[in-house]
Amino acid sequence: MYYPISALLIECLILSVVEVQDSYGYEISQTVKLVSDIKESTLYPILRKLENSGYLMAYTQEFQGRKRKYYSITEEGKEQLAFLKKEWIFYRDTIDGIINHRTK
Amino acid sequence: MTKTEYLNQLRKYLKRLPKADYENAMEHFTEYFEDVGAEKEQKIMEELGTPKEAAAELLKNLLREDLKDTKGEEKKKELYFEEQGNMLDFTKKTTGSIRRKVWISCLAIMAAPIALPLALTAVACLLVIGLCLCCVLLMIGALSLSTVLISAKLLLRGLVAIPYSISGAGAIIGMGILGAGLGILFWILAIFFYQWTKKVYLYFIQKIAERKVRSYE
């Protein structure tokens, strides 16, 4: 991908992935990496911050004989995600508008 | 390098983090390696860089996200007030979180890919400044103590002089009381100086760490 993604937008992506279904580190990372070649050492702190802010909740679950940490979205996380989505749509539409000469 | 070697080296660099952060980070990366699968392990290690680089990156980003995290601080405040409702205790707790940030900043500075001598110099400067501030504090404290002692002696001398000359005794006793007052004021000054410099010092360290971290973006 050509354009870089800001850490804030990555927060939006992480919350979106987890909104539909609880997910674990590697899976979240793979989805985010579809659109950004972010390093894991950068992604993990963002995940951690979302957890500290109360938007994500983590729990451990067994998978094929070993433990795995899963993340689920909280009520506050859903509110934050709604806000972030709104901001993204506004941002995206404004840029599109300028590119397509619809806005000054 | 094998996965286990890599993780062990990473562990070495992250060990100085506060326990919870250290354990969570190691857990995340261990699971990450396991989920990636044996074939892609090498590719992941290339992407992460050397364990030292990965740790530096991790510390820098942990600090950055921590500094941005205002929501988390609010949450802790709310939870704390619900449980204790005591302002004094809370200020103690927040200095704890400031201390944690300062500690992670120091770790981030040390781990950053700048020349080791430079990093050591930076830390040494910080320590020296801290020492200087301590000296000034001691000086004010000593000033306060000596003033009080001198005033005590003056008071005694004045009391002893009463039978000889009332006005003379009055003058000496007056000076004694004045000195005692001054001594107490100096002591209060010392306390204020201590609190003020502590705040400024920690704030400074945070700012320096922030700037160092930003210069790598």
Side-chain angles (χ1 to χ4, degrees), chain B residues 76-95:
Chain B
K76 281 188 213 150
K77 256 191 235 178
E78 282 169 25
L79 283 173
Y80 204 76
F81 276 123
E82 275 170 30
E83 287 172 31
Q84 317 275 4
N86 187 344
M87 183 52 120
L88 261 176
D89 280 340
F90 178 68
T91 29
K92 273 191 219 147
K93 271 233 159 179
T94 40
T95 19

Side-chain angles (χ1 to χ4, degrees), chain B residues 3 7 19 23 77 79 83 104 111 128 130 145 150 153-154 166 173 183 185 188 192 198 206 209-210 215:
Chain B
K3 168 184 96 177
L7 283 172
K19 192 154 180 257
E23 287 179 357
K77 256 191 235 178
L79 283 173
E83 287 172 31
I104 297 188
V128 165
L145 186 63
I150 294 176
K153 178 152 195 224
L154 277 174
I166 294 284
I173 291 179
L185 277 174
I188 297 178
F192 269 119
K198 190 164 77 161
Q206 227 184 336
E210 263 182 67
S215 70

Side-chain angles (χ1 to χ4, degrees), chain A:
Chain A
M1 288 261 167
Y2 190 71
Y3 296 99
I5 296 205
S6 79
L8 291 173
L9 191 49
I10 293 191
E11 287 180 29
C12 179
L13 295 179
I14 295 177
L15 288 175
S16 304
V17 168
V18 178
E19 182 193 24
V20 179
Q21 191 190 32
D22 293 359
S23 186
Y24 57 101
Y26 181 65
E27 195 176 60
I28 297 174
S29 159
Q30 288 305 98
T31 313
V32 170
K33 284 190 177 144
L34 288 174
V35 82
S36 155
D37 57 4
I38 188 176
K39 282 197 235 173
E40 195 57 28
S41 350
T42 317
L43 183 61
Y44 167 67
I46 301 180
L47 206 53
R48 190 86 186 101
K49 178 187 127 180
L50 287 174
E51 196 186 338
N52 285 339
S53 303
Y55 301 140
L56 287 180
M57 199 182 59
Y59 60 92
T60 335
Q61 208 178 57
E62 272 240 353
F63 178 80
Q64 291 182 352
R66 58 184 174 86
K67 290 199 293 173
R68 207 186 237 169
K69 192 172 187 186
Y70 282 85
Y71 295 91
S72 70
I73 196 169
T74 61
E75 280 308 311
E76 289 181 8
K78 288 185 187 161
E79 286 173 23
Q80 174 74 351
L81 180 57
F83 165 70
L84 290 174
K85 275 193 203 170
K86 201 176 66 157
E87 289 291 319
W88 164 249
I89 290 172
F90 177 63
Y91 176 72
R92 177 194 70 189
D93 289 347
T94 312
I95 292 188
D96 271 343
I98 297 174
I99 292 180
N100 298 318
H101 311 295
R102 282 200 301 269
T103 344
K104 286 269 161 68

Side-chain angles (χ1 to χ4, degrees), chain B residues 18-34:
Chain B
K19 192 154 180 257
D21 295 288
Y22 163 67
E23 287 179 357
N24 277 311
M26 284 316 299
E27 184 187 31
H28 182 94
F29 279 90
T30 314
E31 280 179 26
Y32 190 72
F33 267 107
E34 286 174 0

Side-chain angles (χ1 to χ4, degrees), chain B:
Chain B
M1 206 190 291
T2 67
K3 168 184 96 177
T4 351
E5 281 170 15
Y6 194 93
L7 283 172
N8 281 331
Q9 290 207 18
L10 189 61
R11 193 178 311 250
K12 204 176 55 168
Y13 290 109
L14 294 181
K15 228 175 4 169
R16 292 211 205 93
L17 274 173
K19 192 154 180 257
D21 295 288
Y22 163 67
E23 287 179 357
N24 277 311
M26 284 316 299
E27 184 187 31
H28 182 94
F29 279 90
T30 314
E31 280 179 26
Y32 190 72
F33 267 107
E34 286 174 0
D35 285 326
V36 156
E39 331 84 48
K40 296 241 196 84
E41 264 173 34
Q42 283 303 322
K43 199 161 144 262
I44 295 294
M45 288 191 257
E46 273 174 38
E47 176 197 291
L48 286 171
T50 67
K52 183 164 199 255
E53 287 170 4
E57 185 78 17
L58 188 71
L59 286 170
K60 167 187 125 186
N61 286 309
L62 269 177
L63 177 65
R64 189 174 72 167
E65 296 302 321
D66 242 11
L67 291 170
K68 283 200 280 178
D69 179 19
T70 48
K71 191 66 168 57
E73 289 295 318
E74 277 174 39
K75 268 198 103 44
K76 281 188 213 150
K77 256 191 235 178
E78 282 169 25
L79 283 173
Y80 204 76
F81 276 123
E82 275 170 30
E83 287 172 31
Q84 317 275 4
N86 187 344
M87 183 52 120
L88 261 176
D89 280 340
F90 178 68
T91 29
K92 273 191 219 147
K93 271 233 159 179
T94 40
T95 19
S97 88
I98 292 178
R99 225 169 271 156
R100 175 174 168 273
K101 286 185 190 161
V102 168
W103 181 239
I104 297 188
S105 322
C106 286
L107 289 180
I109 294 177
M110 293 300 284
I114 54 179
L116 189 61
L118 203 57
L120 285 175
T121 318
V123 174
C125 279
L126 284 175
L127 284 175
V128 165
I129 292 175
L131 262 170
C132 286
L133 290 172
C134 284
C135 286
V136 174
L137 188 64
L138 265 171
M139 192 185 77
I140 300 181
L143 190 61
S144 139
L145 186 63
S146 50
T147 318
V148 168
L149 285 175
I150 294 176
S151 329
K153 178 152 195 224
L154 277 174
L155 260 171
L156 283 174
R157 278 296 180 104
L159 287 172
V160 165
I162 289 183
Y164 297 104
S165 149
I166 294 284
S167 48
I172 298 178
I173 291 179
M175 279 195 286
I177 297 179
L178 176 67
L182 273 175
I184 295 176
L185 277 174
F186 279 134
W187 182 246
I188 297 178
L189 176 68
I191 294 178
F192 269 119
F193 185 72
Y194 169 67
Q195 287 178 337
W196 179 77
T197 44
K198 190 164 77 161
K199 252 194 267 174
V200 169
Y201 190 57
L202 289 177
Y203 177 74
F204 236 129
I205 292 184
Q206 227 184 336
K207 277 274 126 133
I208 293 177
E210 263 182 67
R211 257 201 290 158
K212 276 235 138 16
V213 160
R214 283 214 192 107
S215 70
Y216 293 114
E217 309 216 331

